[in-house]
Structures are given as C-alpha cells and as structure tokens.
Amino acid sequence: MKRISHIIFFRVLYYKAKVVKIGRLLYKEGLVDARAGNLSVRLGDQAIITRTGSHLGNLDFEDLIELPLYREHTLKERASSEWIVHREIYLQTTHKAVVHAHPLYTVFLSNYYSKIEPKDSEGKAILGAVEVIPDYPSGSEELAKAVAQGLKRSKILIVKNHGVFSAGKTLTEAYSLVSVLERSCKYLWLKI
C-alpha cells in the first residue's frame, strides 16, 4: 500500500512540474500576460489546475490546485475561474490536458473572422481552419459547454475577443497548438 501511495505522490509531482514548465513557456513566448490564462492536466478522476490569479510565468507548486472531477470540493474557490470550462472538457472529451491562453494576434483577429485559416505551411499542416466561437462570459456554464463541444471537433478553438482553449494528450501538445496558432495569426495580421 505504501508503494502505491509513493507512486501516486511522484506522479502528481511530475505533472505539477509539467504545469510549471508550460506556464513559463506560455509567458516567455508572450501567449499570456502576468495574470491571464490557466492550465490543467487530468489525472484519473481528478485534475490539477492553476490557482486563480496566479502568474503563469512564475508558478510554483502552491499555485496548483488538485480537484475531483465528479464532485464539488471546497478548494474550487481557489482554482482558476475557468475551472468550470476545464472540468467540462474533461467530462465531455478524452483530452488529458488543457491550455487557456490570451495570445494577442489571435484575440485581435477573432474579432474579424468566424474561423482562422492559416496561410503559413506549418499552420496549415498542424491546425487547418480554427473555429472562432462567440464570446460567452468568462467562467460561465455557457462557455464551458460551447468549448467542450468545440474541442470534440478539434484540439484548439478561439473564443471571440477572449482567448484560445487547446487540449490534447499532454500539456506540451496543447501548448504547441497555441504557439503555432499565434504565429499563424501574426503572419495573417502582417498580410492585412
């Protein structure tokens, strides 16, 4: 029994370290500002998510909240205000990791297009067309349902004038999609 609890403990530490690393990459690349964006990773019937108001470029383990997916928990109030969205994604899809970021060029272009169609070769190959959904209130049930439905069809989508939600098997995969999308949107913006 002790061996199993040690394995679980080290598994949680590993994924917390991944969240910290990806948070720093998002901030370093300018995909989030000091208090924007959130990350989560699913571990069985629970998830690790960033704390509300945390600075993704300067995360530590105290900024990460462990919450159950199938019941309410008192720590929910400390988690990101987008917890409802992350939870719905995990309940409605097979994704294991979620990144929510606010990349500047992507958010700007979301005001003018109903889908972003990359013109650069990497964006075309990796993303294809990226859906832009309406701007539902942040942290709302409507946003949660719309994003979860969208992420059944694709691994990335844009919320008009709000930001990007991406998901995948790993945080690295979800982060990479946001990075490629922002680069594609910079290219599109320069072509306008």
Side-chain angles (χ1 to χ4, degrees):
M1 197 65 162
K2 224 178 197 185
R3 179 169 155 62
I4 292 172
S5 63
H6 279 74
I7 291 169
I8 293 169
F9 173 78
F10 286 113
R11 184 172 182 240
V12 168
L13 279 181
Y14 170 81
Y15 283 104
K16 284 184 174 184
K18 281 290 201 186
V19 171
V20 169
K21 178 183 176 184
I22 297 300
R24 289 182 181 153
L25 287 171
L26 286 163
Y27 182 74
K28 183 178 179 182
E29 198 170 324
L31 301 171
V32 295
D33 62 26
R35 293 180 48 100
N38 37 75
L39 309 168
S40 71
V41 62
R42 181 177 184 164
L43 300 172
D45 62 353
Q46 69 175 3
I48 298 169
I49 188 166
T50 49
R51 179 180 50 81
T52 187
S54 59
H55 184 312
L56 295 188
N58 195 32
L59 289 173
D60 58 39
F61 286 3
E62 286 136 23
D63 293 313
L64 307 177
I65 310 293
E66 294 175 53
L67 290 171
L69 292 172
Y70 298 102
R71 61 182 170 80
E72 295 298 314
H73 195 281
T74 55
L75 286 178
K76 179 177 100 172
E77 300 306 317
R78 293 182 55 209
S80 167
S81 61
E82 300 287 11
W83 164 243
I84 187 173
V85 180
H86 290 250
R87 181 179 183 205
E88 191 69 19
I89 293 166
Y90 294 132
L91 295 177
Q92 299 298 323
T93 73
T94 59
H95 297 304
K96 302 294 182 201
V98 175
V99 170
H100 174 48
H102 301 255
L104 182 65
Y105 290 91
T106 303
V107 171
F108 176 77
L109 291 178
S110 75
N111 286 288
Y112 301 99
Y113 299 100
S114 61
K115 65 181 172 180
I116 302 291
E117 296 187 58
K119 303 296 182 209
D120 60 303
S121 60
E122 185 178 30
K124 280 192 225 178
I126 294 172
L127 304 172
V130 180
E131 178 182 8
V132 177
I133 66 169
D135 184 11
Y136 297 99
S138 182
S140 69
E141 203 170 297
E142 296 85 7
L143 178 63
K145 288 180 181 182
V147 170
Q149 286 302 309
L151 291 177
K152 285 180 178 180
R153 298 185 294 273
S154 175
K155 290 184 179 182
I156 188 165
L157 62 78
I158 304 162
V159 179
K160 182 179 181 177
N161 205 34
H162 179 118
V164 175
F165 282 91
S166 64
K169 292 178 184 171
T170 67
L171 278 170
T172 302
E173 177 186 13
Y175 151 73
S176 297
L177 294 171
V178 176
S179 181
V180 171
L181 177 60
E182 179 66 351
R183 185 178 183 286
S184 294
C185 287
K186 283 180 188 175
Y187 181 83
L188 286 170
W189 183 80
L190 291 169
K191 299 289 276 180
I192 293 176

